[in-house]
Each structure stands twice: as C-alpha cells, then as structure tokens.
Amino acid sequence: MAGNDAVLLVAAAPERMRNADAAWPYRQDSDFHYLSGYPESDAILALLPGRQHGEVVMFCRERDTERERWHGRSIGTDQAVARYGMDDAFPIEDIDDILPGMIEGRGRVYCHFGREPEFDAQLLGWMRRLRQLRGGGVVPKEFVALGHLLHDLRLYKSRAELRLMRASAAVAVEAHLAALKVATVGRREYEVEAELLRVVRSRGAVPAFSPIVASGANACVMHYQSNMATLRDGELLLIDAGAEWDCYASDISRTFPIGGRFSREQRALYEVVLAAQLAAIDEVRPGRPFNAAHEVAVRLLTEGLCQLGLLKGTPEAAVADRSYERFFPAKTGHWLGLDVHDVGDYRVGGESRLLEPNMVLTVEPGLYVAPDDRSVAERWRGIGIRIEDDVAVTQDGHEVLTASMPKEAEVIEALLADR
Ligand SMILES: [Mn+2]
C-alpha cells in the first residue's frame, strides 16, 4: 500500500507514570499491537518493503539480567524473531546507529506525528543523522501521516479479530449478569463496579474503560465516574462497562430497576429506548450509511417523548429543531475494535460512510431527563436510560456480539426477581 520506496515506523506505547515511580497498568499502542502483536514498551517497528535482509524489523529491549531481576523477563531480539515473526530484530539502544542507514534512499516515511513528543524528536534526530551519513545521505522527500492507511485497515475486522471481539463480548456479558445479581438496595455503586472488575479479571481480561455505575439521576451524567452513591429502591441503575480481550474491546450498557420492578414512568421510557435500539440495530447492514442507525433512533426516541408528553408539538418539528437533544445529546454509536472508540472515518467525501461487512460498531441510544428539568412533570425527572450492544456487519445483515445479555423489560425483571 505504501509503495516499495517507503518506510513505515511505529512506536510502542511508553510506560506512563501514575505518580512517583508507580506506573499505570501498561497498555500497548493499538496501531503497534495491530501490526506486530508485540506486547512490550521501548520498541519501534520498521516496515521496509523490499529490504533484502528482511522487511519487518523490530527494535526492542535486549534481554538484561539486572533489569529482569526487577521487572521480569523481557522478550529480547532472538524471541522477537522466533516467536513474534519479525524478519530481523536489533537492540533499541542501537536504533540511532542502524535505522538512518535503513531509511537512506527511501522516498517516503509513514508514521504518526505530534502524538508522542519523544518519537517526534527521535524522528528528527534520525533525519539529522541521515544527512550526516558518509557522502551525505538522501533524506526522504515525503512524510505521510500513517493514520489514513492504517486506520482504514483497522476498520475492517478479520475473522481472527472477530473471534477476539466475540470473546471480549462474552466476558462483558458475564460481568453484566454478575453485576445485576449484586446490585441490590443499600449497596454502593462501587460494590457493583467491583463485581464487574472481578468477573473481567477472573477471565484473564482487563476492563476496556473505567466502568460507569450510575444510579438514579447519576445516569444523566454522560461520563459519570465517581461510582460512590448508595443504590436506592425505586431508582434505576445504569451500567456501562466492557472488557478488553487481547486488546480488543467490548462495550455494553444496560439499565435496570434496583428494587426489581420498573415504575410506570421508568418502564415507559425504557420501552421507548429499547424500541429505538432495536430499530437502530436493524439499520446495521451492508450498504446502509453509518448514520442511518442514529437517524432512526432519534426519530423513535422523539416520537416516544412526544407521545408521553415530555416534548410538545409534533415529532417532525422536534427532530427538525433538535429539541430532542435535551433528552438525547449523544450519538447512537461508534466504531469498536482495539480502541473502545475505534479508529476509522465516519464520513467519506462529506457523506456518512456506507457500512460494509466486518465493520463493528456499538448501538446505544438513551434518554436522560435531567433531575432539574422543570419543563417536564416531576415524575419523569432524574431518569436516565441507555441500552448498548456491539454489532458486527455481516455479508447480508448483522451479528449482535452481545446478544446473550438480556434487555427486554420482563426478562430483566425476571432475572432480578431471581436474586
Ligand atoms: Mn459505547
């Protein structure tokens, strides 16, 4: 894709410090993982089309007994070749001496700019060295942003990637089912969070993001994070949580009554959101624009809001003047993959992108009635509902990867009655 006189350079994610000398849990850069599967920091992948001694070259940590005493075993250059399929591997300390010579004579460099200051500085350093090579090295004519090529590849999942995404979805479903069992009156939101994390970790996965466990009006905060409140009878609990399996994310939201039964108002809004979600999932098939799911969800949510009297006037007018946004300020979904909000363009040539087989996206309409919204009767205030599934586009329709997590109100109430 890049051409024979190109070189592609991608850096591993650096370790990031939480404070002092304590690091955040390490997560590999998604692009680096996609191209190499290599799990360590301190590494740079170079793809060198046509290079005689190997086109796929890894610069990585060499094994070092003293370092391993503290940090555990490194992979090292030998295993980078033997186990990770690299054609060639060199110690990362030698990169400044080796890489400029490999770039010499190539016309284009594909890489990310302006993401990691350290990589940006290294790249400029290699260009300086290249110029200083014996006889004066030829610096590439073009630097091309790698994202356009690579992120379009990542948008289409391979069969192997889809297998990982199903596995990730299965862990998330199990976590949500377990959370539903412990989310009883009087517990704290963080206890439910702990249950989600327990299941995710006990399956060898990690959370794809910090779980949102939002009871009552907390559900109206889109990115609620504190997870501190006590679960109260009569309120709903919104859980938005996903797993990451071999770096592939799942992302599920469910909303259910803490006490076990929906109130009349909660149930009415729940049915509106569920109908919108089912209709939106129906729009996920090859040839439909990405935005079609959002449009149908907005139409059904707005019709429901008008019918229940939360919006005045006709649904057509409420869609046109966007007054529905007071209750649904979000988009109906996003691409899903190595990143929870995955890469890939949503629009092509100014138009909403047409769905194609093996793309994966979430479908997550919701309704959020702010607790201080005086434009609606008090009984509606503070209700927040979101229902979210992960959906893969197939040859002739879709596959809901998270289908085994129930969402019909009766089924949810039956599960809750069983606690
Ligand atoms: Mn989502």
Side-chain angles (χ1 to χ4, degrees), residues 108-174:
R108 260 162 305 120
V109 178
Y110 284 80
C111 61
H112 296 305
F113 324 104
R115 261 208 206 173
E116 291 293 341
E118 199 192 329
F119 178 80
D120 292 346
Q122 274 182 305
L123 182 67
L124 296 178
W126 297 326
M127 294 308 125
R128 267 196 303 277
R129 284 210 173 215
L130 219 171
R131 258 185 249 282
Q132 292 157 1
L133 286 181
R134 227 178 334 189
V138 179
V139 177
K141 289 189 295 294
E142 293 176 60
F143 289 79
V144 188
L146 174 62
H148 300 289
L149 278 186
L150 192 58
H151 294 169
D152 209 62
L153 284 177
R154 278 178 52 189
L155 182 54
Y156 301 86
K157 274 65 180 177
S158 69
R159 200 182 296 191
E161 288 181 292
L162 286 170
R163 262 200 301 277
L164 295 174
M165 295 196 70
R166 284 190 202 100
S168 180
V171 174
V173 167
E174 205 188 321

Side-chain angles (χ1 to χ4, degrees), residues 209 240 250-253 331-336 340-341 362-364 386 388-390:
F209 51 92
D240 184 345
S250 47
D251 183 6
I252 302 177
S253 301
K331 279 288 179 194
T332 301
H334 50 80
W335 302 128
L336 183 71
V340 177
H341 293 176
T362 67
V363 178
E364 48 178 311
R386 176 162 64 253
E388 173 178 33
D389 283 300
D390 303 344

Side-chain angles (χ1 to χ4, degrees), residues 157-381:
K157 274 65 180 177
S158 69
R159 200 182 296 191
E161 288 181 292
L162 286 170
R163 262 200 301 277
L164 295 174
M165 295 196 70
R166 284 190 202 100
S168 180
V171 174
V173 167
E174 205 188 321
H176 272 262
L177 284 170
L180 195 134
K181 296 279 175 208
V182 305
T184 49
V185 175
R187 304 293 284 270
R188 298 277 209 130
E189 291 168 346
Y190 54 70
E191 293 182 81
V192 180
E193 176 185 359
E195 183 66 4
L196 291 161
L197 298 176
R198 182 189 68 76
V199 173
V200 166
R201 289 300 294 133
S202 70
R203 294 295 169 266
V206 295
F209 51 92
S210 302
I212 295 174
V213 182
S215 63
N218 294 335
C220 300
V221 179
M222 288 303 132
H223 297 141
Y224 180 70
Q225 285 289 292
S226 83
N227 295 356
M228 291 283 283
T230 301
L231 308 189
R232 294 209 303 244
D233 198 11
E235 290 187 335
L236 296 176
L237 183 65
L238 186 158
I239 298 178
D240 184 345
E244 194 177 88
W245 180 264
D246 203 1
C247 290
Y248 283 83
S250 47
D251 183 6
I252 302 177
S253 301
R254 287 293 185 268
T255 310
F256 58 89
I258 292 159
R261 299 294 299 269
F262 287 95
S263 74
R264 199 191 318 183
E265 287 74 21
Q266 290 165 351
R267 177 71 183 257
L269 289 178
Y270 190 88
E271 294 300 342
V272 170
V273 175
L274 182 57
Q277 204 237 9
L278 293 172
I281 289 176
D282 228 35
E283 291 296 327
V284 178
R285 51 180 195 266
R288 297 294 294 149
F290 174 85
N291 211 39
H294 180 64
E295 280 164 14
V296 74
V298 163
R299 188 167 57 74
L300 287 179
L301 292 172
T302 308
E303 283 174 11
L305 289 166
C306 290
Q307 238 157 48
L308 296 171
L310 283 90
L311 282 174
K312 313 274 176 270
T314 66
E316 293 72 27
V319 170
D321 69 12
R322 295 171 169 267
S323 49
Y324 70 86
E325 284 184 355
R326 202 163 80 247
F327 304 107
F328 181 46
K331 279 288 179 194
T332 301
H334 50 80
W335 302 128
L336 183 71
L338 285 167
D339 297 347
V340 177
H341 293 176
D342 207 27
V343 293
D345 293 329
Y346 289 95
R347 303 181 70 79
V348 176
E351 302 279 323
S352 182
R353 186 172 200 145
L354 300 185
L355 297 179
E356 295 175 62
N358 305 323
M359 294 174 169
V360 182
L361 55 144
T362 67
V363 178
E364 48 178 311
L367 284 175
Y368 313 92
V369 187
D372 57 354
D373 187 339
R374 301 186 150 269
S375 75
V376 301
E378 197 180 343
R379 60 203 169 96
W380 300 109
R381 292 178 204 160

